[in-house]
Amino acid sequence: DGGITQSPKYLFRKEGQNVTLSCEQNLNHDAMYWYRQDPGQGLRLIYYSQIVNDFQKGDIAEGYSVSREKKESFPLTVTSAQKNPTAFYLCASSPAENYGYTFGSGTRLTVV
Amino acid sequence: RKEVEQDPGPFNVPEGATVAFNCTYSNSASQSFFWYRQDCRKEPKLLMSVYSSGNEDGRFTAQLNRASQYISLLIRDSKLSDSATYLCVVPFYGQNFVFGPGTRLSVLP
């Protein structure tokens, strides 16, 4: 079955450490997205990519980086510059404009 | 004005009740709209798409009013399993979607 896989499900980061969240899709979707959700709040866009080797900043890109070397993969790195990284991170993809998103099951990141 | 606003909730309704949520958006050029359902600590899942004046799927009806720039979601005969947060989603600037803050629904036995 096609879908989006995010890993790990839970991740703990020490202060000052970079961590990378994985997102892989086998839906053959062109566009991929990363969102952050804080408790009781809506989703905020971090980065998005509409085509391989190209990506754009979303509303809260500071302290994050991404790459899109393959259509199937869109990893997100949370750098030490992100001062408040504890959140629920969601990866999504869509086939084209005006189509809804398919989400991965998310990664819960906690700073310890 | 925020890009996408929703009824703040929470809505606490008895089983079998009919409940409606509203969502307003600021981008008059938006053509398609979505309602997502998000269970606690889970990812959002697509509930309904709205491309024209509305859409109906079983107990769920979504209506679009372009002139007033709002969409609504009506749930009839509420079930306990309908308890979740409902997210209104509106596309802005092409392919990027803006999510509303969500409306939480609790269906009580």
Side-chain angles (χ1 to χ4, degrees):
Chain A
D1 286 338
I4 298 184
T5 301
Q6 286 188 243
S7 62
K9 193 174 179 68
Y10 298 95
L11 185 59
F12 297 90
R13 190 194 94 167
K14 293 181 180 179
E15 298 248 4
Q17 191 178 47
N18 292 357
V19 292
T20 297
L21 283 58
S22 171
C23 178
E24 303 277 333
Q25 54 102 356
N26 59 5
L27 299 166
N28 199 33
H29 286 176
D30 287 317
M32 297 186 74
Y33 309 81
W34 274 105
Y35 283 88
R36 167 182 173 143
Q37 188 175 36
D38 293 280
Q41 298 188 31
L43 279 68
R44 291 184 290 167
L45 182 63
I46 305 173
Y47 268 99
Y48 64 99
S49 168
Q50 296 182 352
I51 195 169
V52 174
N53 292 322
D54 188 42
F55 48 83
Q56 286 78 41
K57 293 181 179 180
D59 301 319
I60 56 165
E62 186 174 349
Y64 300 97
S65 65
V66 293
S67 63
R68 187 87 186 275
E69 297 177 1
K70 299 186 300 182
K71 187 175 185 178
E72 302 79 18
S73 179
F74 192 39
L76 173 74
T77 297
V78 184
T79 75
S80 56
Q82 171 50 240
K83 297 306 178 189
N84 186 21
T86 295
F88 186 39
Y89 290 87
L90 288 157
C91 179
S93 70
S94 70
E97 190 172 351
N98 294 327
Y99 280 80
Y101 289 0
T102 299
F103 281 91
S105 57
T107 293
R108 292 198 178 276
L109 174 63
T110 303
V111 173
V112 295
Chain B
R1 179 180 173 184
K2 291 184 181 178
E3 292 176 307
V4 181
E5 296 189 62
Q6 293 187 241
D7 287 337
F11 284 67
N12 298 314
V13 303
E15 218 174 344
T18 295
V19 61
F21 313 134
N22 286 320
C23 168
T24 58
Y25 59 94
S26 60
N27 181 13
S28 60
S30 297
Q31 295 297 310
S32 55
F33 308 84
F34 304 90
W35 282 102
Y36 278 76
R37 168 199 172 120
Q38 186 174 26
D39 292 295
C40 187
R41 301 178 69 83
K42 300 286 188 182
E43 75 273 22
K45 293 188 177 177
L46 182 63
L47 179 65
M48 296 186 75
S49 307
V50 187
Y51 295 109
S52 56
S53 61
N55 193 9
E56 184 172 332
D57 183 4
R59 299 182 293 109
F60 298 84
T61 300
Q63 291 188 317
L64 169 63
N65 184 318
R66 290 189 189 276
S68 301
Q69 294 182 208
Y70 78 84
I71 55 175
S72 62
L73 178 67
L74 180 77
I75 305 175
R76 291 180 296 275
D77 189 21
S78 300
K79 311 292 184 190
L80 295 176
S81 58
D82 293 334
S83 297
T85 297
Y86 291 84
L87 306 174
C88 172
V89 183
V90 179
F92 279 72
Y93 311 118
Q95 205 167 353
N96 299 330
F97 292 173
V98 175
F99 285 75
T103 299
R104 188 155 58 91
L105 171 66
S106 292
V107 181
L108 309 173

